[in-house]
Amino acid sequence: MADLRTRYLGLELQSPLVASASPLTGSLDGLRKLEVAGAGAVVLPSLFEEELATGQDQVGGDPDVGRADQAGYGAGPAAYLSLLEQAKASLSIPVIASLNGTSRGGWVRHATRLEQAGADALELNIYYVSSRPGLSGGEVEENYLDVVRAVRRAIGIPLAVKLSPYFSSLANLAGQLVEAGANGLVLFNRFYQPDLDIEAMEVLAALELSSSVELRLPLRWIAILHRRWGISLAASTGVHTAEDVVKVLLAGADVAMMTSALLHNGPDHLRPVELRLRDWMDRHRYETIDQLRGQLSQRSVPDPAAFERANYIKTLASHAVSG
Ligand SMILES: Cc1cc2nc3c(=O)[nH]c(=O)nc-3n(C[C@H](O)[C@H](O)[C@H](O)COP(=O)(O)O)c2cc1C
């Protein structure tokens, strides 16, 4: 039977299927279900910079923010630390904590508390929509690097940075993030685009789950960044099926993260995905994840330009015109 073990951020995982940050990973019950269904690791929902500036950070202070099963969004750091500690006590898979912020500040010190509470690694999600014309791309990136350096200084555990795809030179930024102390990259976070309600004349906060079509973006960048700097790569956005998992592993990912698929189908969705992954590996005579990882990365394929612009015209021209 195929061996699904993989390494991510220096951690040994029994499976490359990882549950990324979502409400499902925000309760002990959800985390247990994910472990039982076969998750190789779990990423807790983010603790947000905004929550860390509100004075809610007295551990054990407010009785309403200490219950582990209610560490949902905005519940504050005490509930978060409690969930993390309980997850560490009751799960045997790695538990990755997540911090979300936009700028360097006092909140970064909370990374230390997450490490002390037992997090196996930290995922830093820098979510920033730059809308000021006066702010250059270089300044935005410097801000990211500042945050990463500050968090790196605060902790000794492995650090992954979860990025958006919206950078003009992602490979360059990735290299700088590694220099700043990132041990891995999560490609990508998915920004929720506001919609407009044209009857109520309002802006709507619209959250729609992803589909497999969106896999293409992380697939390309995982393939391009595979085996540069020796860092870990996690694919996030659009991983729904075993076929999606095979694709990101072939591109060079160490783990395939899922949120939308698990929210839509429940934690047990991991079981058929694992079965079909094993089946694919058996049919293609791969015994380990190591053997197949990166087999179709940019460095491995005969036409590396396929991941860049070269096939642009051919691809457009190949589109059949109907009607
Ligand atoms: C309801 C919901 C909550 C999420 N919460 C977080 C979060 O707290 N921190 C984070 O880094 N990403 C969060 N994400 C993003 C997911 O972890 C994931 O990166 C994104 O949904 C793309 O993956 P998918 O295509 O598998 O859904 C959330 C996504 C959803 C749908």
Side-chain angles (χ1 to χ4, degrees), residues 20-75:
S20 35
S22 83
L24 260 184
T25 62
S27 74
L28 202 51
D29 184 46
L31 292 167
R32 284 201 186 112
K33 286 183 177 144
L34 289 163
E35 175 173 48
V36 171
V42 284
V43 185
L44 299 191
S46 299
L47 185 55
F48 292 83
E49 176 180 351
E50 291 82 352
E51 295 174 70
L52 299 172
T54 59
Q56 284 189 53
D57 61 349
Q58 296 303 311
V59 178
D62 180 342
D64 284 341
V65 293
R67 272 172 282 144
D69 249 23
Q70 295 183 1
Y73 293 80

Side-chain angles (χ1 to χ4, degrees), residues 1-136:
M1 196 157 71
D3 179 353
L4 296 188
R5 281 178 299 174
T6 187
R7 277 176 79 77
Y8 177 57
L9 301 173
L11 306 166
E12 301 287 346
L13 273 54
Q14 293 302 314
S15 161
L17 307 180
V18 171
S20 35
S22 83
L24 260 184
T25 62
S27 74
L28 202 51
D29 184 46
L31 292 167
R32 284 201 186 112
K33 286 183 177 144
L34 289 163
E35 175 173 48
V36 171
V42 284
V43 185
L44 299 191
S46 299
L47 185 55
F48 292 83
E49 176 180 351
E50 291 82 352
E51 295 174 70
L52 299 172
T54 59
Q56 284 189 53
D57 61 349
Q58 296 303 311
V59 178
D62 180 342
D64 284 341
V65 293
R67 272 172 282 144
D69 249 23
Q70 295 183 1
Y73 293 80
Y80 196 90
L81 291 173
S82 171
L83 175 68
L84 176 54
E85 280 165 4
Q86 296 202 32
K88 280 303 298 170
S90 63
L91 304 187
S92 55
I93 55 175
V95 178
I96 301 172
S98 168
L99 266 185
N100 178 312
T102 58
S103 58
R104 194 166 51 129
W107 65 278
V108 163
R109 284 195 302 274
H110 287 270
T112 315
R113 293 165 75 175
L114 300 177
E115 177 175 26
Q116 286 163 354
D120 292 289
L122 181 68
E123 189 177 284
L124 181 62
N125 172 3
I126 310 176
Y127 185 105
Y128 181 65
V129 178
S130 171
S131 60
R132 273 173 36 212
L135 190 64
S136 74

